[in-house]
Amino acid sequence: TEFVHTLHDSIQAVKPWVRLSVAALGKYNWSGWQGYGSVYQDAALWFNQGYIDQLTPMSYHWTTGSGFYGMLVGDGTQSWGYYLQPGINAGRLFSAGPGSYILEEQKIWDRHLEIVNSCRTVNWLDGFQFFSYGSWNDYQYWEKAASLFFKRKTKIRATGLIDNTPPGAPQISLQKVDSL
């Protein structure tokens, strides 16, 4: 936690327009293998305290729309929404990370649409990061996904936490040290 907090503050001191995001385990503090007790990721604390600007749990355990809805808000203390309201209310970003490779392995690839539609009913969900994009290449899924559920540009909630002024163009400075 101290590392994450220090990293965030260091980034903000140098480049305040950069967001620090974390891909945490999909289960915060419930079940056997989970972020908090198994690998010591206190992702909800980081999110709520502003040590990170975006949280994207690796949500590979869920393969249905109802499963994703439950993981987000419907399963009480076994859902992210139960733990994240301070960070959500502060405008921090949260996105779902469905495991496309799991859908491929289980031969239920067509559930992407169901998952996306179910997740979109949660008003504080800010987008998706599917893993892995390699499986999308295998299925040549880009155009089909665009026509099925990515017909519009992604809505990103205004956070007010990040300076929205674009940085200046990068400049390079070379200093010759020796003849080599």
Side-chain angles (χ1 to χ4, degrees):
T1 294
E2 189 60 33
F3 170 76
V4 173
H5 187 192
T6 301
L7 177 63
H8 182 265
D9 287 354
S10 299
I11 291 168
Q12 291 302 295
V14 177
K15 295 184 177 183
W17 60 87
V18 173
R19 291 183 180 142
L20 177 60
S21 63
V22 171
L25 290 184
K27 297 177 180 180
Y28 172 51
N29 68 355
W30 60 87
S31 86
W33 178 253
Q34 36 97 350
Y36 185 83
S38 301
V39 296
Y40 311 111
Q41 296 174 329
D42 198 346
L45 174 85
W46 303 342
F47 188 75
N48 291 331
Q49 295 297 316
Y51 300 169
I52 60 175
D53 303 301
Q54 180 169 344
L55 177 58
T56 302
M58 297 177 282
S59 310
Y60 308 155
H61 300 90
W62 298 273
T63 59
T64 64
S66 62
F68 266 83
Y69 183 83
M71 174 268 301
L72 291 170
V73 293
D75 291 340
T77 60
Q78 294 190 10
S79 64
W80 282 101
Y82 181 83
Y83 298 96
L84 299 180
Q85 287 314 302
I88 297 295
N89 294 341
R92 293 186 191 93
L93 301 173
F94 183 92
S95 52
S100 292
Y101 78 100
I102 298 284
L103 302 180
E104 179 180 30
E105 287 173 359
Q106 295 184 10
K107 300 187 183 348
I108 50 175
W109 186 264
D110 61 338
R111 289 195 186 161
H112 281 92
L113 179 60
E114 171 191 336
I115 290 169
V116 168
N117 286 338
S118 180
C119 288
R120 283 185 171 158
T121 66
V122 178
N123 66 353
W124 47 263
L125 184 79
D126 297 299
F128 302 90
Q129 284 82 35
F130 297 94
F131 185 81
S132 100
Y133 284 112
S135 57
W136 281 43
N137 281 336
D138 293 345
Y139 275 80
Q140 299 178 3
Y141 199 57
W142 302 104
E143 288 182 25
K144 185 168 184 178
S147 67
L148 282 175
F149 46 84
F150 291 134
K151 297 175 191 171
R152 302 171 309 220
K153 291 183 178 179
T154 301
K155 161 199 70 88
I156 300 291
R157 292 180 296 123
T159 66
L161 300 174
I162 304 295
D163 179 354
N164 288 327
T165 305
Q171 297 180 0
I172 188 164
S173 175
L174 299 176
Q175 182 177 10
K176 188 174 181 180
V177 177
D178 60 34
S179 62
L180 295 178

